[in-house]
Amino acid sequence: MAHARILQQGTIHCFPAGLRDEAGELVNTEISAVLYDGERLLMASDKPVPGDERSAVFALPLTPEGPDDTRLEYLTAARLQQAVKYEDFALTTDGRHVLAVTGFDRIEERGHGLNDYNHLLIWPLGHPEAVQVVDPDPRDGVEGSLELRRKLNLAIGFPYYKLEGLATVPGERGDGLLLFGVREQGNAHDDFEYVSRVVGAHYQITESGNIEFVDALREHFRFVPHEQDGVRFACGLSSLEYDPYHARLYLLTSFEVEEGGEERIGGYLWELSLEEFRDGVTPRLVTTPEGEPLEFEHKAEGLAVLDRERLFVAYDNDRNLALGSVDERDERHACEAPYTVLGLV
């Protein structure tokens, strides 16, 4: 069983304090995706960040002192600005391309008004200006991964679902196995249950630098977090991350429940080997060095492997501004995102 301890915590300024949207509402940071490329953290909010010079996707250096938000850079390619509700990032198994997925939790029956919520994007590492849409509908040329949505519908089997995980792992065909984590499923956005399911398909990189699937999307894994010892609240999957140093898959789950009339948010981290994942083995809960469940005090939504011994966790607390142990202050500013660096022991 893996153990982890907190090495560092803090907040990241993601845009100017006091930034407001077109309706005059204060913009809130809601980081849902994070990736580390060896030098920089790539992060994304699941809410738009207004301004032509800004984007919901940005990068910043990671230093020994932590993320350096004084050198934050927004990725402003048109397709990156267009997609809405980013939920996770992944590197392809060869480490040469970045993948980004949105929630796929809404679509119009007729028309294309909500297509921006249905995107899988790919670009060469370090070259976001070359971003492409994966698996668009070839019939109408409208932006959005609409052909992928059709495949997800068949694999997930519910009229409503929400994706929050993305990872690539070595596979038996093509260039690897592309995995999507399902957090919610049900009949509608107000009639669903939290789940921890993983669907996916083998893929290969095309000559144009895009992705094509080489077999059908299907379910590869599922488990029920709250049935495991040490888990206090029902959770849904919130991130997937492959650890190439240990051939291990991490699953991040988070909860947002009401208890005694008060909101409770938090999350848990799970791990299992790639072989165990293929065999459907229930993942192990990551614990503290003392063997207690590692329960995050914030809603853990983004996870990145930094190196052989460290993980980076980003939080999406929605409108909850409490900082808890992350900072001596009681509350964060709306422009700040809390984070934690974990050390594996």
Side-chain angles (χ1 to χ4, degrees):
M1 179 175 291
H3 306 289
R5 60 186 177 91
I6 295 174
L7 298 179
Q8 186 182 65
Q9 297 194 99
T11 58
I12 299 169
H13 283 79
C14 302
F15 44 79
L19 182 67
R20 295 183 180 271
D21 60 21
E22 293 181 354
E25 296 293 328
L26 196 64
V27 179
N28 186 51
T29 303
E30 301 184 24
I31 299 301
S32 54
V34 61
L35 179 149
Y36 183 58
D37 68 4
E39 295 182 356
R40 302 199 302 173
L41 289 166
L42 182 66
M43 307 183 79
S45 174
D46 68 8
K47 295 293 188 295
V49 177
D52 292 342
E53 76 282 12
R54 302 188 191 95
S55 166
V57 185
F58 56 89
L60 68 167
L62 182 64
T63 73
E65 291 73 38
D68 183 359
D69 55 20
T70 66
R71 292 189 283 165
L72 185 147
E73 176 187 356
Y74 299 103
L75 307 190
T76 56
R79 284 177 174 145
L80 290 173
Q81 289 181 315
Q82 177 182 349
V84 178
K85 203 167 180 60
Y86 285 96
E87 294 293 355
D88 210 356
F89 291 129
L91 285 174
T92 51
T93 51
D94 62 6
R96 297 175 61 185
H97 292 81
V98 177
L99 294 166
V101 71
T102 62
F104 280 78
D105 59 339
R106 63 199 76 181
I107 193 71
E108 286 186 356
E109 296 256 348
R110 299 176 180 175
H112 299 289
L114 298 178
N115 285 9
D116 292 345
Y117 292 84
N118 299 265
H119 273 82
L120 177 63
L121 301 173
I122 184 172
W123 64 92
L125 182 64
H127 296 279
E129 72 282 358
V131 60
Q132 299 181 64
V133 177
V134 176
D135 221 14
D137 187 333
R139 292 166 294 187
D140 57 21
V142 177
E143 288 287 359
S145 299
L146 304 185
E147 185 65 14
L148 173 58
R149 183 179 179 90
R150 183 187 67 80
K151 297 171 183 176
L152 288 166
N153 290 345
L154 294 173
I156 296 172
F158 285 84
Y160 167 82
Y161 52 86
K162 183 180 181 183
L163 303 183
E164 286 208 10
L166 186 69
T168 66
V169 300
E172 300 170 351
R173 301 179 59 186
D175 293 321
L177 183 63
L178 177 58
L179 303 173
F180 300 93
V182 184
R183 176 180 177 82
E184 300 173 4
Q185 65 182 30
N187 296 315
H189 70 90
D190 55 358
D191 179 18
F192 69 87
E193 64 175 349
Y194 289 111
V195 295
S196 294
R197 294 180 65 192
V198 179
V199 301
H202 289 89
Y203 73 92
Q204 61 187 18
I205 303 294
T206 67
E207 290 186 3
S208 64
N210 208 316
I211 272 184
E212 63 181 16
F213 296 102
V214 297
D215 56 11
L217 261 72
R218 64 174 180 84
E219 180 175 288
H220 284 263
F221 190 83
R222 70 163 69 196
F223 83 111
V224 183
H226 69 263
E227 292 181 351
Q228 312 307 314
D229 292 341
V231 177
R232 300 194 297 155
F233 304 104
C235 298
L237 189 68
S238 55
S239 187
L240 291 172
E241 180 76 1
Y242 179 60
D243 177 359
Y245 299 102
H246 304 98
R248 175 189 295 165
L249 190 69
Y250 289 107
L251 300 92
L252 196 61
T253 60
S254 64
F255 58 83
E256 43 191 329
V257 300
E258 190 171 298
E259 184 182 57
E262 294 187 5
E263 179 191 51
R264 299 294 298 271
I265 59 174
Y268 301 94
L269 180 62
W270 310 79
E271 59 90 18
L272 73 171
S273 71
L274 193 53
E275 182 178 352
E276 289 170 329
F277 170 77
R278 291 169 176 153
D279 291 340
V281 175
T282 300
R284 289 170 293 275
L285 184 64
V286 175
T287 65
T288 67
E290 295 74 32
E292 297 297 320
L294 179 65
E295 182 178 298
F296 299 109
E297 61 180 323
H298 300 286
K299 191 154 71 79
E301 295 281 316
L303 180 68
V305 172
L306 299 181
D307 51 38
R308 185 177 292 277
E309 299 174 343
R310 296 182 302 154
L311 305 175
F312 186 94
V313 181
Y315 303 108
D316 173 7
N317 288 349
D318 298 322
R319 295 287 170 175
N320 186 318
L321 300 179
L323 281 170
S325 66
V326 166
D327 197 286
E328 293 180 353
R329 294 174 295 149
D330 291 333
E331 291 189 347
R332 66 178 174 90
H333 297 294
C335 64
E336 292 179 300
Y339 74 87
T340 297
V341 176
L342 294 175
L344 299 174
V345 295

